[in-house]
Amino acid sequence: METQPAVASLSALAHEVRLSTFRLLVQAGPDGLPAGEVARRLGVLPNTLSASLNVLSHAGLIASRREGRSIIYTANYDAMRELLAFLMEDCCGGSPEICAPLAAIASQCCVAEGARA
Amino acid sequence: METQPAVASLSALAHEVRLSTFRLLVQAGPDGLPAGEVARRLGVLPNTLSASLNVLSHAGLIASRREGRSIIYTANYDAMRELLAFLMEDCCGGSPEICAPLAAIASQCCVAEGARA
DNA sequence: TCCATATTTCGAGAATACAGGAAATATGCG
DNA sequence: CGCATATTTCCTGTATTCTCGAAATATGGA
């Protein structure tokens, strides 16, 4: 990943409603959530949320599909991974032991539970 | 970490010069770099860079110390870790196998080289 | 003290982001 | 078709951010 798209992603996440929205969709998994449900859970007006979804979508962090009258939004896990990888990528140039705890966080978070399955 | 400080950190990073500055300092390791050196490497005016450093510092992402006439800036690795952990923290609630690759990235990045030492 | 270096602070104009009201679009159902 | 639901688009005033020139501050050395 290069700097410019990373800035775009970070900008999209640098907003209370948008960050909460993204986290909600990440939690929701591949099934995603309809826009209205997100608005209800976060307590924001539908049009305000729509603007937030638009920004996140434009940055490639989420995707959408129509289902009946609802539009379902889902997190783009690839984009999330790319952004995190970009942020982690530099720390090893200096001293690996400094950023090693990041791996510990990730394995605590993901592998420990994933490996158990 | 909570949403509000996370937004502050993301806002600080959501800017081309500031993101590049932060990455440069992360690469530089605990010794850090003087402000002038960062400005020279990134090709930005000293006062513009100063504003960027101020924003990053205010968000807690970097720290500074004076050394003679120079002011040396260093990355705050703890803050970086907290932010990354915050972003990763939700993915497991859904499906662990989705975010497991994050652990792979982190271990590629840090542990593989760190363990070799 | 005087000067050069390193960095920050101040100020102003231009550009951009934000929130929310009102209206428009799309879908499903009777 | 007519109506309710779900969501988006448009609009507008306000607030914030960004950039850069000019001036100020801090340090070290002659």
PDB file of all heavy atoms in Angstrom, chain B residues 64-104:
ATOM      1  N   SER B  64       9.270  14.354  22.171  1.00  0.00           N
ATOM      2  CA  SER B  64      10.419  15.152  21.762  1.00  0.00           C
ATOM      3  C   SER B  64      11.335  15.426  22.948  1.00  0.00           C
ATOM      4  O   SER B  64      10.910  15.430  24.099  1.00  0.00           O
ATOM      5  CB  SER B  64       9.953  16.469  21.157  1.00  0.00           C
ATOM      6  OG  SER B  64       9.242  17.219  22.125  1.00  0.00           O
ATOM      7  N   ARG B  65      12.603  15.633  22.627  1.00  0.00           N
ATOM      8  CA  ARG B  65      13.560  16.065  23.650  1.00  0.00           C
ATOM      9  C   ARG B  65      14.538  17.023  22.980  1.00  0.00           C
ATOM     10  O   ARG B  65      14.792  16.926  21.771  1.00  0.00           O
ATOM     11  CB  ARG B  65      14.299  14.857  24.234  1.00  0.00           C
ATOM     12  CG  ARG B  65      15.160  14.119  23.227  1.00  0.00           C
ATOM     13  CD  ARG B  65      15.935  12.974  23.852  1.00  0.00           C
ATOM     14  NE  ARG B  65      16.955  12.470  22.926  1.00  0.00           N
ATOM     15  CZ  ARG B  65      16.753  11.568  21.983  1.00  0.00           C
ATOM     16  NH1 ARG B  65      15.554  11.045  21.819  1.00  0.00           N
ATOM     17  NH2 ARG B  65      17.734  11.186  21.195  1.00  0.00           N
ATOM     18  N   ARG B  66      15.035  17.952  23.733  1.00  0.00           N
ATOM     19  CA  ARG B  66      16.005  18.876  23.159  1.00  0.00           C
ATOM     20  C   ARG B  66      17.405  18.306  23.306  1.00  0.00           C
ATOM     21  O   ARG B  66      17.752  17.704  24.324  1.00  0.00           O
ATOM     22  CB  ARG B  66      15.921  20.240  23.847  1.00  0.00           C
ATOM     23  CG  ARG B  66      16.919  21.244  23.281  1.00  0.00           C
ATOM     24  CD  ARG B  66      16.754  22.617  23.875  1.00  0.00           C
ATOM     25  NE  ARG B  66      15.666  23.376  23.285  1.00  0.00           N
ATOM     26  CZ  ARG B  66      15.777  24.073  22.152  1.00  0.00           C
ATOM     27  NH1 ARG B  66      16.909  24.070  21.479  1.00  0.00           N
ATOM     28  NH2 ARG B  66      14.766  24.753  21.685  1.00  0.00           N
ATOM     29  N   GLU B  67      18.198  18.508  22.251  1.00  0.00           N
ATOM     30  CA  GLU B  67      19.597  18.096  22.293  1.00  0.00           C
ATOM     31  C   GLU B  67      20.382  19.212  21.622  1.00  0.00           C
ATOM     32  O   GLU B  67      20.417  19.296  20.395  1.00  0.00           O
ATOM     33  CB  GLU B  67      19.798  16.776  21.549  1.00  0.00           C
ATOM     34  CG  GLU B  67      20.382  15.680  22.420  1.00  0.00           C
ATOM     35  CD  GLU B  67      20.395  14.341  21.712  1.00  0.00           C
ATOM     36  OE1 GLU B  67      21.003  14.240  20.639  1.00  0.00           O
ATOM     37  OE2 GLU B  67      19.773  13.370  22.231  1.00  0.00           O
ATOM     38  N   GLY B  68      21.003  20.060  22.415  1.00  0.00           N
ATOM     39  CA  GLY B  68      21.713  21.202  21.854  1.00  0.00           C
ATOM     40  C   GLY B  68      20.731  22.106  21.153  1.00  0.00           C
ATOM     41  O   GLY B  68      19.685  22.434  21.714  1.00  0.00           O
ATOM     42  N   ARG B  69      21.040  22.461  19.922  1.00  0.00           N
ATOM     43  CA  ARG B  69      20.129  23.342  19.201  1.00  0.00           C
ATOM     44  C   ARG B  69      18.991  22.584  18.535  1.00  0.00           C
ATOM     45  O   ARG B  69      18.007  23.163  18.110  1.00  0.00           O
ATOM     46  CB  ARG B  69      20.909  24.124  18.125  1.00  0.00           C
ATOM     47  CG  ARG B  69      21.403  25.452  18.639  1.00  0.00           C
ATOM     48  CD  ARG B  69      22.279  26.134  17.627  1.00  0.00           C
ATOM     49  NE  ARG B  69      23.490  25.354  17.360  1.00  0.00           N
ATOM     50  CZ  ARG B  69      24.566  25.868  16.755  1.00  0.00           C
ATOM     51  NH1 ARG B  69      24.572  27.121  16.375  1.00  0.00           N
ATOM     52  NH2 ARG B  69      25.619  25.122  16.542  1.00  0.00           N
ATOM     53  N   SER B  70      19.136  21.269  18.464  1.00  0.00           N
ATOM     54  CA  SER B  70      18.117  20.476  17.777  1.00  0.00           C
ATOM     55  C   SER B  70      17.057  19.959  18.742  1.00  0.00           C
ATOM     56  O   SER B  70      17.307  19.808  19.938  1.00  0.00           O
ATOM     57  CB  SER B  70      18.774  19.275  17.088  1.00  0.00           C
ATOM     58  OG  SER B  70      19.661  19.713  16.091  1.00  0.00           O
ATOM     59  N   ILE B  71      15.891  19.696  18.187  1.00  0.00           N
ATOM     60  CA  ILE B  71      14.867  19.009  18.955  1.00  0.00           C
ATOM     61  C   ILE B  71      14.638  17.670  18.285  1.00  0.00           C
ATOM     62  O   ILE B  71      14.333  17.600  17.088  1.00  0.00           O
ATOM     63  CB  ILE B  71      13.574  19.836  19.040  1.00  0.00           C
ATOM     64  CG1 ILE B  71      13.893  21.134  19.802  1.00  0.00           C
ATOM     65  CG2 ILE B  71      12.482  19.064  19.730  1.00  0.00           C
ATOM     66  CD1 ILE B  71      12.712  22.017  20.060  1.00  0.00           C
ATOM     67  N   ILE B  72      14.866  16.616  19.072  1.00  0.00           N
ATOM     68  CA  ILE B  72      14.797  15.257  18.539  1.00  0.00           C
ATOM     69  C   ILE B  72      13.412  14.694  18.782  1.00  0.00           C
ATOM     70  O   ILE B  72      12.916  14.720  19.909  1.00  0.00           O
ATOM     71  CB  ILE B  72      15.816  14.330  19.246  1.00  0.00           C
ATOM     72  CG1 ILE B  72      17.196  14.990  19.311  1.00  0.00           C
ATOM     73  CG2 ILE B  72      15.857  12.979  18.557  1.00  0.00           C
ATOM     74  CD1 ILE B  72      17.897  15.067  18.005  1.00  0.00           C
ATOM     75  N   TYR B  73      12.807  14.192  17.723  1.00  0.00           N
ATOM     76  CA  TYR B  73      11.481  13.582  17.836  1.00  0.00           C
ATOM     77  C   TYR B  73      11.585  12.068  17.738  1.00  0.00           C
ATOM     78  O   TYR B  73      12.380  11.537  16.954  1.00  0.00           O
ATOM     79  CB  TYR B  73      10.564  14.120  16.739  1.00  0.00           C
ATOM     80  CG  TYR B  73      10.060  15.512  17.051  1.00  0.00           C
ATOM     81  CD1 TYR B  73      10.791  16.633  16.689  1.00  0.00           C
ATOM     82  CD2 TYR B  73       8.870  15.681  17.754  1.00  0.00           C
ATOM     83  CE1 TYR B  73      10.327  17.910  17.001  1.00  0.00           C
ATOM     84  CE2 TYR B  73       8.408  16.947  18.067  1.00  0.00           C
ATOM     85  CZ  TYR B  73       9.137  18.056  17.695  1.00  0.00           C
ATOM     86  OH  TYR B  73       8.694  19.300  18.013  1.00  0.00           O
ATOM     87  N   THR B  74      10.795  11.385  18.541  1.00  0.00           N
ATOM     88  CA  THR B  74      10.773   9.927  18.518  1.00  0.00           C
ATOM     89  C   THR B  74       9.333   9.433  18.460  1.00  0.00           C
ATOM     90  O   THR B  74       8.426  10.086  18.986  1.00  0.00           O
ATOM     91  CB  THR B  74      11.416   9.342  19.798  1.00  0.00           C
ATOM     92  OG1 THR B  74      10.807   9.960  20.934  1.00  0.00           O
ATOM     93  CG2 THR B  74      12.917   9.593  19.826  1.00  0.00           C
ATOM     94  N   ALA B  75       9.154   8.283  17.827  1.00  0.00           N
ATOM     95  CA  ALA B  75       7.831   7.668  17.776  1.00  0.00           C
ATOM     96  C   ALA B  75       7.469   7.130  19.151  1.00  0.00           C
ATOM     97  O   ALA B  75       8.336   6.653  19.887  1.00  0.00           O
ATOM     98  CB  ALA B  75       7.825   6.541  16.750  1.00  0.00           C
ATOM     99  N   ASN B  76       6.210   7.210  19.486  1.00  0.00           N
ATOM    100  CA  ASN B  76       5.712   6.605  20.722  1.00  0.00           C
ATOM    101  C   ASN B  76       5.130   5.230  20.361  1.00  0.00           C
ATOM    102  O   ASN B  76       3.996   5.125  19.910  1.00  0.00           O
ATOM    103  CB  ASN B  76       4.656   7.504  21.355  1.00  0.00           C
ATOM    104  CG  ASN B  76       4.127   6.937  22.654  1.00  0.00           C
ATOM    105  OD1 ASN B  76       4.371   5.774  22.983  1.00  0.00           O
ATOM    106  ND2 ASN B  76       3.406   7.740  23.402  1.00  0.00           N
ATOM    107  N   TYR B  77       5.934   4.215  20.598  1.00  0.00           N
ATOM    108  CA  TYR B  77       5.536   2.867  20.168  1.00  0.00           C
ATOM    109  C   TYR B  77       4.345   2.338  20.954  1.00  0.00           C
ATOM    110  O   TYR B  77       3.554   1.562  20.436  1.00  0.00           O
ATOM    111  CB  TYR B  77       6.723   1.916  20.263  1.00  0.00           C
ATOM    112  CG  TYR B  77       7.806   2.225  19.265  1.00  0.00           C
ATOM    113  CD1 TYR B  77       8.901   3.016  19.603  1.00  0.00           C
ATOM    114  CD2 TYR B  77       7.715   1.757  17.960  1.00  0.00           C
ATOM    115  CE1 TYR B  77       9.885   3.318  18.678  1.00  0.00           C
ATOM    116  CE2 TYR B  77       8.689   2.056  17.026  1.00  0.00           C
ATOM    117  CZ  TYR B  77       9.772   2.840  17.385  1.00  0.00           C
ATOM    118  OH  TYR B  77      10.724   3.154  16.463  1.00  0.00           O
ATOM    119  N   ASP B  78       4.248   2.763  22.198  1.00  0.00           N
ATOM    120  CA  ASP B  78       3.089   2.331  22.983  1.00  0.00           C
ATOM    121  C   ASP B  78       1.793   2.839  22.362  1.00  0.00           C
ATOM    122  O   ASP B  78       0.823   2.099  22.238  1.00  0.00           O
ATOM    123  CB  ASP B  78       3.196   2.852  24.419  1.00  0.00           C
ATOM    124  CG  ASP B  78       4.170   2.016  25.243  1.00  0.00           C
ATOM    125  OD1 ASP B  78       4.459   0.876  24.824  1.00  0.00           O
ATOM    126  OD2 ASP B  78       4.636   2.507  26.287  1.00  0.00           O
ATOM    127  N   ALA B  79       1.799   4.122  21.988  1.00  0.00           N
ATOM    128  CA  ALA B  79       0.596   4.698  21.377  1.00  0.00           C
ATOM    129  C   ALA B  79       0.267   3.979  20.077  1.00  0.00           C
ATOM    130  O   ALA B  79      -0.892   3.700  19.778  1.00  0.00           O
ATOM    131  CB  ALA B  79       0.794   6.191  21.131  1.00  0.00           C
ATOM    132  N   MET B  80       1.293   3.676  19.315  1.00  0.00           N
ATOM    133  CA  MET B  80       1.103   2.968  18.050  1.00  0.00           C
ATOM    134  C   MET B  80       0.474   1.598  18.299  1.00  0.00           C
ATOM    135  O   MET B  80      -0.474   1.200  17.629  1.00  0.00           O
ATOM    136  CB  MET B  80       2.464   2.805  17.366  1.00  0.00           C
ATOM    137  CG  MET B  80       2.410   2.089  16.043  1.00  0.00           C
ATOM    138  SD  MET B  80       4.096   1.859  15.411  1.00  0.00           S
ATOM    139  CE  MET B  80       3.745   0.901  13.934  1.00  0.00           C
ATOM    140  N   ARG B  81       1.025   0.901  19.281  1.00  0.00           N
ATOM    141  CA  ARG B  81       0.482  -0.417  19.623  1.00  0.00           C
ATOM    142  C   ARG B  81      -0.971  -0.317  20.056  1.00  0.00           C
ATOM    143  O   ARG B  81      -1.802  -1.119  19.632  1.00  0.00           O
ATOM    144  CB  ARG B  81       1.292  -1.027  20.768  1.00  0.00           C
ATOM    145  CG  ARG B  81       2.436  -1.888  20.323  1.00  0.00           C
ATOM    146  CD  ARG B  81       2.924  -2.748  21.465  1.00  0.00           C
ATOM    147  NE  ARG B  81       3.573  -1.989  22.521  1.00  0.00           N
ATOM    148  CZ  ARG B  81       4.862  -1.653  22.509  1.00  0.00           C
ATOM    149  NH1 ARG B  81       5.622  -1.995  21.496  1.00  0.00           N
ATOM    150  NH2 ARG B  81       5.394  -0.973  23.497  1.00  0.00           N
ATOM    151  N   GLU B  82      -1.264   0.668  20.884  1.00  0.00           N
ATOM    152  CA  GLU B  82      -2.651   0.822  21.359  1.00  0.00           C
ATOM    153  C   GLU B  82      -3.618   1.053  20.210  1.00  0.00           C
ATOM    154  O   GLU B  82      -4.703   0.480  20.176  1.00  0.00           O
ATOM    155  CB  GLU B  82      -2.750   1.987  22.343  1.00  0.00           C
ATOM    156  CG  GLU B  82      -2.334   1.621  23.757  1.00  0.00           C
ATOM    157  CD  GLU B  82      -2.572   2.784  24.708  1.00  0.00           C
ATOM    158  OE1 GLU B  82      -3.639   3.422  24.614  1.00  0.00           O
ATOM    159  OE2 GLU B  82      -1.676   3.063  25.530  1.00  0.00           O
ATOM    160  N   LEU B  83      -3.203   1.908  19.291  1.00  0.00           N
ATOM    161  CA  LEU B  83      -4.077   2.202  18.159  1.00  0.00           C
ATOM    162  C   LEU B  83      -4.301   0.950  17.315  1.00  0.00           C
ATOM    163  O   LEU B  83      -5.442   0.621  16.951  1.00  0.00           O
ATOM    164  CB  LEU B  83      -3.479   3.314  17.297  1.00  0.00           C
ATOM    165  CG  LEU B  83      -4.291   3.677  16.054  1.00  0.00           C
ATOM    166  CD1 LEU B  83      -5.674   4.176  16.429  1.00  0.00           C
ATOM    167  CD2 LEU B  83      -3.551   4.712  15.207  1.00  0.00           C
ATOM    168  N   LEU B  84      -3.234   0.223  17.014  1.00  0.00           N
ATOM    169  CA  LEU B  84      -3.368  -0.983  16.199  1.00  0.00           C
ATOM    170  C   LEU B  84      -4.213  -2.024  16.923  1.00  0.00           C
ATOM    171  O   LEU B  84      -5.057  -2.681  16.309  1.00  0.00           O
ATOM    172  CB  LEU B  84      -1.991  -1.534  15.854  1.00  0.00           C
ATOM    173  CG  LEU B  84      -1.212  -0.677  14.853  1.00  0.00           C
ATOM    174  CD1 LEU B  84       0.235  -1.144  14.750  1.00  0.00           C
ATOM    175  CD2 LEU B  84      -1.866  -0.725  13.490  1.00  0.00           C
ATOM    176  N   ALA B  85      -4.003  -2.134  18.214  1.00  0.00           N
ATOM    177  CA  ALA B  85      -4.783  -3.110  18.982  1.00  0.00           C
ATOM    178  C   ALA B  85      -6.263  -2.732  18.939  1.00  0.00           C
ATOM    179  O   ALA B  85      -7.126  -3.595  18.788  1.00  0.00           O
ATOM    180  CB  ALA B  85      -4.289  -3.155  20.424  1.00  0.00           C
ATOM    181  N   PHE B  86      -6.537  -1.448  19.042  1.00  0.00           N
ATOM    182  CA  PHE B  86      -7.922  -0.971  18.990  1.00  0.00           C
ATOM    183  C   PHE B  86      -8.572  -1.331  17.667  1.00  0.00           C
ATOM    184  O   PHE B  86      -9.724  -1.769  17.618  1.00  0.00           O
ATOM    185  CB  PHE B  86      -7.943   0.539  19.198  1.00  0.00           C
ATOM    186  CG  PHE B  86      -9.299   1.164  19.095  1.00  0.00           C
ATOM    187  CD1 PHE B  86     -10.176   1.141  20.165  1.00  0.00           C
ATOM    188  CD2 PHE B  86      -9.704   1.777  17.914  1.00  0.00           C
ATOM    189  CE1 PHE B  86     -11.427   1.728  20.076  1.00  0.00           C
ATOM    190  CE2 PHE B  86     -10.950   2.358  17.821  1.00  0.00           C
ATOM    191  CZ  PHE B  86     -11.810   2.331  18.903  1.00  0.00           C
ATOM    192  N   LEU B  87      -7.821  -1.165  16.589  1.00  0.00           N
ATOM    193  CA  LEU B  87      -8.376  -1.456  15.270  1.00  0.00           C
ATOM    194  C   LEU B  87      -8.578  -2.951  15.061  1.00  0.00           C
ATOM    195  O   LEU B  87      -9.473  -3.381  14.343  1.00  0.00           O
ATOM    196  CB  LEU B  87      -7.461  -0.895  14.174  1.00  0.00           C
ATOM    197  CG  LEU B  87      -7.405   0.634  14.094  1.00  0.00           C
ATOM    198  CD1 LEU B  87      -6.354   1.085  13.104  1.00  0.00           C
ATOM    199  CD2 LEU B  87      -8.761   1.209  13.724  1.00  0.00           C
ATOM    200  N   MET B  88      -7.734  -3.751  15.701  1.00  0.00           N
ATOM    201  CA  MET B  88      -7.840  -5.206  15.513  1.00  0.00           C
ATOM    202  C   MET B  88      -8.881  -5.836  16.420  1.00  0.00           C
ATOM    203  O   MET B  88      -9.366  -6.922  16.135  1.00  0.00           O
ATOM    204  CB  MET B  88      -6.500  -5.858  15.854  1.00  0.00           C
ATOM    205  CG  MET B  88      -5.408  -5.582  14.859  1.00  0.00           C
ATOM    206  SD  MET B  88      -4.006  -6.655  15.232  1.00  0.00           S
ATOM    207  CE  MET B  88      -2.663  -5.599  14.746  1.00  0.00           C
ATOM    208  N   GLU B  89      -9.196  -5.124  17.472  1.00  0.00           N
ATOM    209  CA  GLU B  89      -9.897  -5.725  18.592  1.00  0.00           C
ATOM    210  C   GLU B  89     -11.266  -6.304  18.246  1.00  0.00           C
ATOM    211  O   GLU B  89     -11.707  -7.251  18.887  1.00  0.00           O
ATOM    212  CB  GLU B  89      -9.955  -4.642  19.667  1.00  0.00           C
ATOM    213  CG  GLU B  89     -11.130  -4.511  20.530  1.00  0.00           C
ATOM    214  CD  GLU B  89     -10.892  -3.265  21.412  1.00  0.00           C
ATOM    215  OE1 GLU B  89      -9.741  -3.060  21.874  1.00  0.00           O
ATOM    216  OE2 GLU B  89     -11.836  -2.524  21.620  1.00  0.00           O
ATOM    217  N   ASP B  90     -11.897  -5.787  17.217  1.00  0.00           N
ATOM    218  CA  ASP B  90     -13.271  -6.207  16.952  1.00  0.00           C
ATOM    219  C   ASP B  90     -13.429  -7.378  16.012  1.00  0.00           C
ATOM    220  O   ASP B  90     -14.458  -8.021  15.993  1.00  0.00           O
ATOM    221  CB  ASP B  90     -14.044  -5.035  16.336  1.00  0.00           C
ATOM    222  CG  ASP B  90     -14.364  -4.012  17.387  1.00  0.00           C
ATOM    223  OD1 ASP B  90     -14.567  -4.424  18.529  1.00  0.00           O
ATOM    224  OD2 ASP B  90     -14.387  -2.824  17.050  1.00  0.00           O
ATOM    225  N   CYS B  91     -12.385  -7.627  15.249  1.00  0.00           N
ATOM    226  CA  CYS B  91     -12.580  -8.552  14.144  1.00  0.00           C
ATOM    227  C   CYS B  91     -12.905  -9.964  14.616  1.00  0.00           C
ATOM    228  O   CYS B  91     -13.527 -10.726  13.903  1.00  0.00           O
ATOM    229  CB  CYS B  91     -11.362  -8.562  13.235  1.00  0.00           C
ATOM    230  SG  CYS B  91      -9.845  -8.972  14.091  1.00  0.00           S
ATOM    231  N   CYS B  92     -12.488 -10.294  15.829  1.00  0.00           N
ATOM    232  CA  CYS B  92     -12.671 -11.666  16.273  1.00  0.00           C
ATOM    233  C   CYS B  92     -14.093 -11.949  16.712  1.00  0.00           C
ATOM    234  O   CYS B  92     -14.516 -13.101  16.752  1.00  0.00           O
ATOM    235  CB  CYS B  92     -11.733 -11.962  17.417  1.00  0.00           C
ATOM    236  SG  CYS B  92     -10.050 -11.655  16.919  1.00  0.00           S
ATOM    237  N   GLY B  93     -14.812 -10.915  17.065  1.00  0.00           N
ATOM    238  CA  GLY B  93     -16.186 -11.113  17.469  1.00  0.00           C
ATOM    239  C   GLY B  93     -16.974 -11.789  16.361  1.00  0.00           C
ATOM    240  O   GLY B  93     -17.834 -12.609  16.605  1.00  0.00           O
ATOM    241  N   GLY B  94     -16.651 -11.452  15.145  1.00  0.00           N
ATOM    242  CA  GLY B  94     -17.307 -12.089  14.002  1.00  0.00           C
ATOM    243  C   GLY B  94     -16.718 -13.477  13.769  1.00  0.00           C
ATOM    244  O   GLY B  94     -17.022 -14.418  14.486  1.00  0.00           O
ATOM    245  N   SER B  95     -15.842 -13.556  12.808  1.00  0.00           N
ATOM    246  CA  SER B  95     -15.255 -14.851  12.488  1.00  0.00           C
ATOM    247  C   SER B  95     -13.731 -14.774  12.583  1.00  0.00           C
ATOM    248  O   SER B  95     -13.108 -14.071  11.803  1.00  0.00           O
ATOM    249  CB  SER B  95     -15.642 -15.268  11.072  1.00  0.00           C
ATOM    250  OG  SER B  95     -17.031 -15.110  10.893  1.00  0.00           O
ATOM    251  N   PRO B  96     -13.147 -15.468  13.535  1.00  0.00           N
ATOM    252  CA  PRO B  96     -11.705 -15.418  13.746  1.00  0.00           C
ATOM    253  C   PRO B  96     -10.909 -15.685  12.488  1.00  0.00           C
ATOM    254  O   PRO B  96      -9.863 -15.085  12.285  1.00  0.00           O
ATOM    255  CB  PRO B  96     -11.471 -16.513  14.784  1.00  0.00           C
ATOM    256  CG  PRO B  96     -12.751 -16.643  15.505  1.00  0.00           C
ATOM    257  CD  PRO B  96     -13.815 -16.352  14.495  1.00  0.00           C
ATOM    258  N   GLU B  97     -11.384 -16.566  11.636  1.00  0.00           N
ATOM    259  CA  GLU B  97     -10.590 -16.925  10.464  1.00  0.00           C
ATOM    260  C   GLU B  97     -10.439 -15.758   9.500  1.00  0.00           C
ATOM    261  O   GLU B  97      -9.513 -15.720   8.698  1.00  0.00           O
ATOM    262  CB  GLU B  97     -11.188 -18.147   9.737  1.00  0.00           C
ATOM    263  CG  GLU B  97     -12.561 -17.927   9.145  1.00  0.00           C
ATOM    264  CD  GLU B  97     -13.658 -18.235  10.144  1.00  0.00           C
ATOM    265  OE1 GLU B  97     -13.357 -18.297  11.356  1.00  0.00           O
ATOM    266  OE2 GLU B  97     -14.809 -18.399   9.706  1.00  0.00           O
ATOM    267  N   ILE B  98     -11.334 -14.784   9.627  1.00  0.00           N
ATOM    268  CA  ILE B  98     -11.238 -13.618   8.752  1.00  0.00           C
ATOM    269  C   ILE B  98     -10.040 -12.764   9.097  1.00  0.00           C
ATOM    270  O   ILE B  98      -9.335 -12.256   8.229  1.00  0.00           O
ATOM    271  CB  ILE B  98     -12.520 -12.770   8.842  1.00  0.00           C
ATOM    272  CG1 ILE B  98     -13.647 -13.489   8.118  1.00  0.00           C
ATOM    273  CG2 ILE B  98     -12.299 -11.402   8.228  1.00  0.00           C
ATOM    274  CD1 ILE B  98     -14.986 -12.871   8.350  1.00  0.00           C
ATOM    275  N   CYS B  99      -9.805 -12.589  10.395  1.00  0.00           N
ATOM    276  CA  CYS B  99      -8.743 -11.675  10.780  1.00  0.00           C
ATOM    277  C   CYS B  99      -7.461 -12.407  11.134  1.00  0.00           C
ATOM    278  O   CYS B  99      -6.445 -11.780  11.447  1.00  0.00           O
ATOM    279  CB  CYS B  99      -9.196 -10.775  11.907  1.00  0.00           C
ATOM    280  SG  CYS B  99      -9.537 -11.662  13.422  1.00  0.00           S
ATOM    281  N   ALA B 100      -7.460 -13.717  11.083  1.00  0.00           N
ATOM    282  CA  ALA B 100      -6.245 -14.463  11.398  1.00  0.00           C
ATOM    283  C   ALA B 100      -5.056 -14.003  10.552  1.00  0.00           C
ATOM    284  O   ALA B 100      -3.936 -13.923  11.061  1.00  0.00           O
ATOM    285  CB  ALA B 100      -6.492 -15.951  11.226  1.00  0.00           C
ATOM    286  N   PRO B 101      -5.269 -13.672   9.274  1.00  0.00           N
ATOM    287  CA  PRO B 101      -4.137 -13.214   8.463  1.00  0.00           C
ATOM    288  C   PRO B 101      -3.422 -12.007   9.063  1.00  0.00           C
ATOM    289  O   PRO B 101      -2.247 -11.780   8.774  1.00  0.00           O
ATOM    290  CB  PRO B 101      -4.782 -12.844   7.122  1.00  0.00           C
ATOM    291  CG  PRO B 101      -5.976 -13.718   7.035  1.00  0.00           C
ATOM    292  CD  PRO B 101      -6.474 -13.845   8.441  1.00  0.00           C
ATOM    293  N   LEU B 102      -4.118 -11.252   9.912  1.00  0.00           N
ATOM    294  CA  LEU B 102      -3.462 -10.120  10.564  1.00  0.00           C
ATOM    295  C   LEU B 102      -2.319 -10.610  11.436  1.00  0.00           C
ATOM    296  O   LEU B 102      -1.249  -9.999  11.483  1.00  0.00           O
ATOM    297  CB  LEU B 102      -4.469  -9.363  11.433  1.00  0.00           C
ATOM    298  CG  LEU B 102      -5.423  -8.471  10.677  1.00  0.00           C
ATOM    299  CD1 LEU B 102      -6.429  -7.880  11.638  1.00  0.00           C
ATOM    300  CD2 LEU B 102      -4.650  -7.382   9.974  1.00  0.00           C
ATOM    301  N   ALA B 103      -2.542 -11.691  12.106  1.00  0.00           N
ATOM    302  CA  ALA B 103      -1.487 -12.250  12.950  1.00  0.00           C
ATOM    303  C   ALA B 103      -0.316 -12.696  12.081  1.00  0.00           C
ATOM    304  O   ALA B 103       0.852 -12.517  12.446  1.00  0.00           O
ATOM    305  CB  ALA B 103      -2.033 -13.427  13.753  1.00  0.00           C
ATOM    306  N   ALA B 104      -0.646 -13.239  10.930  1.00  0.00           N
ATOM    307  CA  ALA B 104       0.410 -13.663  10.012  1.00  0.00           C
ATOM    308  C   ALA B 104       1.250 -12.471   9.578  1.00  0.00           C
ATOM    309  O   ALA B 104       2.482 -12.535   9.554  1.00  0.00           O
ATOM    310  CB  ALA B 104      -0.210 -14.352   8.793  1.00  0.00           C
TER     311      ALA B 104
END
